[in-house]
Amino acid sequence: MFSFLKKKRDLPEFDFIKSYSEKEKYFVRTKKWNWLNPEQITLLEKDSDGKIKMTTMDYWHQEMFLDADGQKTISEYLSVLINQFKDSKMEIPSDLDKFMVETLLSLKTDLNAIEFSDKPTEIKTEFRNPIKE
């Protein structure tokens, strides 16, 4: 009778994460960063000439970078994201797991901003907090 209520509470299957080979890896920040404004951060690094390069990111890259504390696995992080969607009363995308993994891989390979580890890892002191002015 009230099947429409049940449907809303059901979670997607998230088949992608089930077969993802690195789902039990931890992920941790590996770049210096600072707040550009109250909503946005920038990654900071020196290039080969010693010039500072600043990189800004879209919302999800930034969120996942800031969440990269080395204390949760990729599969555990999916639960964090699911709860954020639930708390915001937003519909949970059926491909959230794939999107999350693709974003984390982009942070790892394209930006070299995080790294994966087999065990929990502490954020190095220079990457833990924004750079002090």
Side-chain angles (χ1 to χ4, degrees):
M1 181 174 164
F2 292 104
S3 61
F4 66 92
L5 291 174
K6 183 181 183 304
K7 189 120 179 125
K8 190 162 179 110
R9 279 189 235 134
D10 284 347
L11 283 178
E13 286 296 315
F14 299 126
D15 290 326
F16 183 84
I17 193 80
K18 291 175 187 171
S19 62
Y20 180 56
S21 63
E22 297 190 296
K23 67 183 174 191
E24 296 309 317
K25 299 265 186 191
Y26 294 82
F27 57 104
V28 65
R29 289 194 292 272
T30 58
K31 282 241 169 118
K32 293 182 180 182
W33 60 281
N34 207 353
W35 288 101
L36 196 57
N37 59 49
E39 288 88 37
Q40 191 172 31
I41 66 168
T42 182
L43 301 180
L44 300 155
E45 65 184 314
K46 287 185 180 176
D47 66 14
S48 56
D49 297 327
K51 294 181 180 166
I52 294 179
K53 176 182 170 188
M54 296 174 62
T55 306
T56 57
M57 298 175 280
D58 68 26
Y59 175 83
W60 283 110
H61 279 77
Q62 176 174 306
E63 285 295 304
M64 291 186 197
F65 173 79
L66 291 173
D67 286 343
D69 62 3
Q71 301 301 304
K72 59 192 149 306
T73 64
I74 292 170
S75 61
E76 290 169 342
Y77 188 53
L78 180 59
S79 297
V80 171
L81 294 180
I82 289 168
N83 286 331
Q84 287 178 348
F85 274 88
K86 284 180 178 177
D87 291 346
S88 299
K89 309 236 184 305
M90 294 172 61
E91 185 175 336
I92 299 165
S94 61
D95 64 344
L96 182 60
D97 57 341
K98 186 170 193 261
F99 172 77
M100 174 194 70
V101 168
E102 288 172 348
T103 304
L104 290 172
L105 285 173
S106 174
L107 283 167
K108 180 182 179 224
T109 57
D110 300 336
L111 296 174
N112 295 315
I114 66 170
E115 63 186 17
F116 292 173
S117 168
D118 290 326
K119 58 186 194 282
T121 308
E122 291 294 321
I123 302 172
K124 290 183 180 171
T125 306
E126 66 264 32
F127 308 134
R128 188 172 294 134
N129 298 309
I131 293 173
K132 300 228 189 293
E133 301 282 334

